[in-house]
């Protein structure tokens, strides 16, 4: 496929469980982003990678959130000891340019996480 | 702080009419603006973008206007169709990097 692919599409976790969300960006895209979207709200920035380097993680809400992109392609967002407030849609996006270049972010359809 | 907001949370439009969605931004240093369309259960879909050195850009049935003096952005959709029903977000990016900041969204409902 030509777009950003995210899996799983839906994830239900019991409070306290760990989850891992996967993102396959568009091939060749240097930049990768994770966003969190609560119901009825706009996406909120979590973290940003340029290739394998995590250049900005200022949006991660707590140290229970961890993201990696070890080979500069696929990325995983991990949430440890999930809490109910973590319930949201987690969106991944990729972009062709890096640094101060400006190009639109292309989003996947997200993973809807529900913590019970 | 940096923020992007929208004036109208819901816009109801008759099919065939033109739609105008407005957005105010607070960061005067923003260099790049994007409009996204989000349908239920899907991720935001790119519609059109504009850089701060422009005040108007046209696409297919869509036009984005940028007024830097009053920090206002708008999206015009011509001949609105049922498939245009969605939530629309404006987003801004500063010159420093790639972080997009989104507003809260406007829901557009197209009446047949």
């Amino acid at each position: 496929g030509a777009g950003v692919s995210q899996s799983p599409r839906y994830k239900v976790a019991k409070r306290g469980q760990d989850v891992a969300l996967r993102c396959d960006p568009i091939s060749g895209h240097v930049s990768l982003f994770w966003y969190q979207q609560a119901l009825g709200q706009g996406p909120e920035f979590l973290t940003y990678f340029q290739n394998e380097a995590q250049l900005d993680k200022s949006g991660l809400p707590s140290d229970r959130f961890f993201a990696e992109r070890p080979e500069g392609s696929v990325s995983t967002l991990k949430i440890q000891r999930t809490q109910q407030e973590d319930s949201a849609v987690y969106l991944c996006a990729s972009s062709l340019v890096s640094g101060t270049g400006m190009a639109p972010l292309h989003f996947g359809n997200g993973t809807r996480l529900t913590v019970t | 702080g940096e923020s992007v907001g929208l004036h109208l949370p819901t816009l109801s439009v008759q099919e065939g009419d033109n739609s105008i969605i407005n957005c105010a931004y607070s960061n005067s240093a923003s260099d790049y603006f994007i409009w996204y369309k989000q349908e239920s259960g899907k991720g935001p879909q790119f519609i059109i973008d504009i850089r701060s050195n422009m005040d108007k850009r046209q696409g297919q049935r869509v036009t984005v206007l940028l007024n830097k003096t009053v920090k206002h952005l708008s999206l015009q959709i011509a001949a609105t169709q049922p498939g245009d029903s969605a939530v629309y977000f404006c987003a801004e990016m500063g010159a420093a990097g790639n972080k997009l900041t989104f507003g809260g969204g406007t829901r557009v409902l197209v009446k047949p």
Side-chain angles (χ1 to χ4, degrees):
Chain A
V4 176
S5 178
Q6 292 187 247
S7 61
R9 189 77 178 85
Y10 302 94
K11 177 69 179 177
V12 178
K14 291 185 178 179
R15 189 165 63 91
Q17 284 185 330
D18 298 348
V19 298
L21 313 179
R22 177 187 169 103
C23 173
D24 283 86
I26 294 173
S27 178
H29 277 197
V30 172
S31 298
L32 185 144
F33 306 79
W34 284 98
Y35 280 78
Q36 180 189 61
Q37 186 173 26
L39 187 64
Q41 303 293 320
E44 295 282 346
F45 171 83
L46 293 176
T47 188
Y48 157 62
F49 290 85
Q50 182 177 319
N51 295 307
E52 69 278 3
Q54 188 174 21
L55 299 186
D56 188 340
K57 53 182 181 179
S58 62
L60 295 177
S62 77
D63 59 7
R64 296 186 295 105
F65 287 70
F66 172 77
E68 59 183 5
R69 193 187 185 197
E71 298 179 356
S73 177
V74 171
S75 177
T76 303
L77 176 67
K78 298 179 179 178
I79 309 173
Q80 297 176 324
R81 304 180 302 281
T82 53
Q83 303 295 316
Q84 284 191 321
E85 61 263 29
D86 299 335
S87 295
V89 174
Y90 290 86
L91 295 164
C92 178
S94 67
S95 173
L96 187 59
V97 299
S98 62
T100 56
M102 298 176 195
L105 275 59
H106 299 273
F107 284 84
N109 286 328
T111 293
R112 180 177 294 279
L113 172 65
T114 302
V115 181
T116 60
Chain B
E2 300 177 19
S3 67
V4 177
L6 299 178
H7 297 307
L8 301 173
T10 303
L11 179 66
S12 189
V13 182
Q14 197 70 37
E15 182 179 357
D17 287 352
N18 297 334
S19 303
I20 299 176
I21 307 167
N22 296 301
C23 175
Y25 64 94
S26 60
N27 185 2
S28 57
S30 295
D31 268 355
Y32 182 50
F33 302 87
I34 307 175
W35 280 101
Y36 283 94
K37 171 187 179 183
Q38 188 172 28
E39 297 174 284
S40 180
K42 296 186 177 180
Q45 176 188 356
F46 171 82
I47 301 173
I48 192 168
D49 57 1
I50 189 167
R51 299 183 189 276
S52 59
N53 61 354
M54 303 172 67
D55 54 20
K56 181 179 180 179
R57 191 164 188 223
Q58 289 184 292
Q60 186 177 11
R61 284 201 307 119
V62 294
T63 300
V64 55
L65 299 177
L66 175 62
N67 186 330
K68 294 181 288 295
T69 301
V70 295
K71 291 185 285 189
H72 184 267
L73 191 70
S74 68
L75 177 69
Q76 300 177 1
I77 305 173
T80 312
Q81 302 170 358
D84 295 328
S85 292
V87 176
Y88 290 79
F89 293 97
C90 64
E92 61 92 8
M93 181 184 292
N98 293 295
K99 183 186 298 185
L100 269 183
T101 301
F102 284 81
T106 293
R107 181 174 300 279
V108 172
L109 299 174
V110 181
K111 297 178 290 185

